[in-house]
Amino acid sequence: VNNILNAELSVGKLTGNFFTNLGLENVMLRSTDQDTLAFIPQLHLNYQLLPLLNNRIVVEKIILDNPYIHLAQLPDSTWNVMHIAKPSEEPSDTTSSFNMDILLNKLLLNDGYVRIDAFNTQIPREIRDFFIDVSGYYSTAEQKVALDDLRLKAYNPDIELVALSIDGKADKNLIEGEKLLLQTLENKIEANAEYYLTEDGRSQFVLNTSPII
């Protein structure tokens, strides 16, 4: 993997039976100048291999505990994470297509911490208590995502996201978002939206807001 990265990836310990699950401990990604870009103390994967025979990738669960990420804006205004992968020396094949379905039943990110070095002072310097609970499905005909919960606390400037959730799906005709909930310490927003990609549909957006008492 390190041969395709402008960084150094290391794993402290690897466990699991490889057929249904894997566990990784002390996963570290460092830049060429030894700056820690990401560190994950515990990462757990549960998956199925047999569906691969039918062009399906089935991941039962991904759990990341206490991940750390360092985002830094470079002098050219790009971000450090944008330069992790080395550019491909082979010309890209625009005619090839990805024909596998992907099912992710659960992705949990617990107690994440993000350190941010940015030029814009409106971008928070830190994100703590970062939590995500999401699942999703992808095929060439249909895509779905269920964001059950997203919470975080940002500092300097200070923002606390108490809850963010939405059920979304899309196909070649329609992009739909249902049961959107965005809640901070002071306000709550609920919304539903439908956007038709064809002229014979009627798009709509319903938004409700209320203060938190």
Side-chain angles (χ1 to χ4, degrees), residues 106-126:
K106 181 72 70 173
L107 168 62
L108 289 174
L109 188 153
N110 298 310
D111 197 21
Y113 172 61
V114 182
R115 181 165 68 93
I116 305 172
D117 296 324
F119 303 138
N120 190 336
T121 57
Q122 298 302 311
I123 298 176
R125 306 293 99 174
E126 290 184 339

Side-chain angles (χ1 to χ4, degrees), residues 181-199:
L181 170 65
L182 191 157
Q183 182 176 336
T184 66
L185 292 175
E186 299 178 350
N187 297 285
K188 181 170 69 173
I189 297 174
E190 296 177 291
N192 293 284
E194 291 181 343
Y195 179 75
Y196 285 87
L197 304 174
T198 57
E199 295 182 357

Side-chain angles (χ1 to χ4, degrees), residues 25-107:
E25 297 181 8
N26 297 328
V27 181
M28 177 84 74
L29 182 65
R30 287 181 174 174
S31 64
T32 53
D33 58 1
Q34 296 301 301
D35 178 41
T36 300
L37 302 175
F39 177 70
I40 305 173
Q42 300 279 345
L43 190 154
H44 303 278
L45 297 168
N46 292 86
Y47 47 83
Q48 299 181 28
L49 293 181
L50 287 179
L52 291 172
L53 300 176
N54 297 315
N55 290 327
R56 284 172 57 87
I57 299 173
V58 178
V59 180
E60 296 293 347
K61 187 180 294 185
I62 302 176
I63 302 177
L64 298 92
D65 290 325
N66 308 113
Y68 163 84
I69 297 174
H70 178 210
L71 300 177
Q73 194 172 16
L74 304 178
D76 62 357
S77 295
T78 61
W79 294 86
N80 57 347
V81 293
M82 299 170 62
H83 303 279
I84 292 176
K86 293 180 179 178
S88 175
E89 298 180 357
E90 298 180 0
S92 59
D93 183 4
T94 58
T95 62
S96 62
S97 60
F98 184 79
N99 294 319
M100 300 190 74
D101 296 353
I102 302 175
L103 175 62
L104 173 61
N105 284 323
K106 181 72 70 173
L107 168 62

Side-chain angles (χ1 to χ4, degrees), residues 138-189:
Y138 170 85
S139 72
T140 55
E142 183 182 31
Q143 302 83 43
K144 296 180 180 179
V145 61
L147 179 60
D148 292 329
D149 195 8
L150 188 154
R151 305 188 302 267
L152 60 84
K153 295 178 182 177
Y155 297 92
N156 191 23
D158 296 350
I159 303 169
E160 181 168 351
L161 182 60
V162 176
L164 174 62
S165 61
I166 188 173
D167 290 336
K169 60 182 178 181
D171 56 31
K172 64 180 181 179
N173 300 315
L174 174 66
I175 300 175
E176 185 175 6
E178 295 183 325
K179 297 183 290 186
L180 168 65
L181 170 65
L182 191 157
Q183 182 176 336
T184 66
L185 292 175
E186 299 178 350
N187 297 285
K188 181 170 69 173
I189 297 174

